[in-house]
Amino acid sequence: MVEQRIQQQFIDSADLTYQWAQTLARPVMDALQALLACVTGGGKVLVCGNGASGALAQYMTTLLVGGMERPRPELPALSLSADAATLTAVARRGEFADVFAAQVRALGAAGDVLLVLTSKGDTANLVRAAQAAHERDMVVVALTGRGGGELARMLRETDVHVGVPQEGVAHIHEAHQLVLHALCDGLDIELLGEEEMAE
């Protein structure tokens, strides 16, 4: 019984991934162009999320700075979710909802990108981070699920929304990780060219 359920999870994930390919290809391409313009223009990528999305934010900065599968120069990226000392220092001022926005105001500049990962899109600290990015004339790239919530509604025409059409949190995280891989692979192709196939 449990083994069948495990098998079904793989099957469901494969089916959903196939569906996402058509829905998400264009917004992921738009997100790639925003990241490419940022890193080639001397900007940096600030990434944030809460909980598991925070872990994915750290993962993305790892891929940008350290590379994915091909050796390339490091790309400037910083996870706003990773520094516990900074998070708690801002939170102790009495406003946990400002933990990411304070870092965006301190570190962000025009030409930078704020990449936000969230399964829902209504969390105050992420919405405030996007507001702070707008104040800095930064582009916001939002990876969401469940329609994107308040975060999706506040995005500007120059921002990018990659909204996974899913309700289940686990599947949203799966899609977000796949999107991050596609973005990093796309950056590698744009910066390094197509990789020659081994014969």
Side-chain angles (χ1 to χ4, degrees):
M1 184 73 116
V2 174
E3 185 175 349
Q4 289 176 338
R5 185 177 175 91
I6 291 169
Q7 290 178 5
Q8 190 61 48
Q9 289 180 27
F10 281 92
I11 292 167
D12 291 346
S13 180
D15 288 343
L16 287 169
T17 300
Y18 182 77
Q19 294 170 30
W20 295 332
Q22 294 184 344
T23 304
L24 299 181
R26 171 46 52 189
V28 171
M29 185 64 194
D30 293 341
L32 170 61
Q33 293 305 316
L35 292 175
L36 183 64
C38 170
V39 299
T40 58
K44 59 189 172 298
V45 183
L46 305 180
V47 195
C48 64
N50 294 308
S53 293
L56 285 173
Q58 288 182 254
Y59 179 59
M60 181 57 165
T61 59
T62 300
L63 296 178
L64 290 172
V65 176
M68 192 166 68
E69 293 184 340
R70 299 171 66 184
R72 60 151 167 74
E74 298 82 3
L75 301 177
L78 182 66
S79 171
L80 306 182
S81 309
D83 185 348
T86 299
L87 291 173
T88 55
V90 174
R92 77 176 162 80
R93 296 189 313 200
E95 194 61 73
F96 180 77
D98 216 29
V99 292
F100 298 136
Q103 294 181 75
V104 171
R105 288 192 296 269
L107 302 168
D112 292 346
V113 166
L114 176 68
L115 175 58
V116 182
L117 295 106
T118 174
S119 59
K120 193 171 180 183
D122 290 322
T123 311
N125 61 358
L126 300 176
V127 171
R128 286 196 188 182
Q131 290 168 340
H134 286 160
E135 292 167 9
R136 293 286 188 268
D137 292 323
M138 297 168 58
V139 170
V140 176
V141 174
L143 273 60
T144 74
R146 303 178 181 182
E150 185 178 351
L151 181 62
R153 290 190 294 273
M154 66 167 292
L155 294 177
R156 298 175 174 174
E157 284 187 13
T158 52
D159 296 327
V160 181
H161 181 211
V162 182
V164 179
Q166 257 309 298
E167 291 292 322
V169 174
H171 288 309
I172 293 169
H173 291 318
E174 287 175 26
H176 285 179
Q177 185 172 26
L178 185 55
V179 168
L180 298 181
H181 289 163
L183 290 173
C184 289
D185 179 67
L187 284 170
D188 284 353
I189 290 172
E190 292 287 353
L191 296 171
L192 304 173
E194 292 277 358
E195 193 169 23
E196 292 185 13
M197 299 294 289
E199 293 186 15

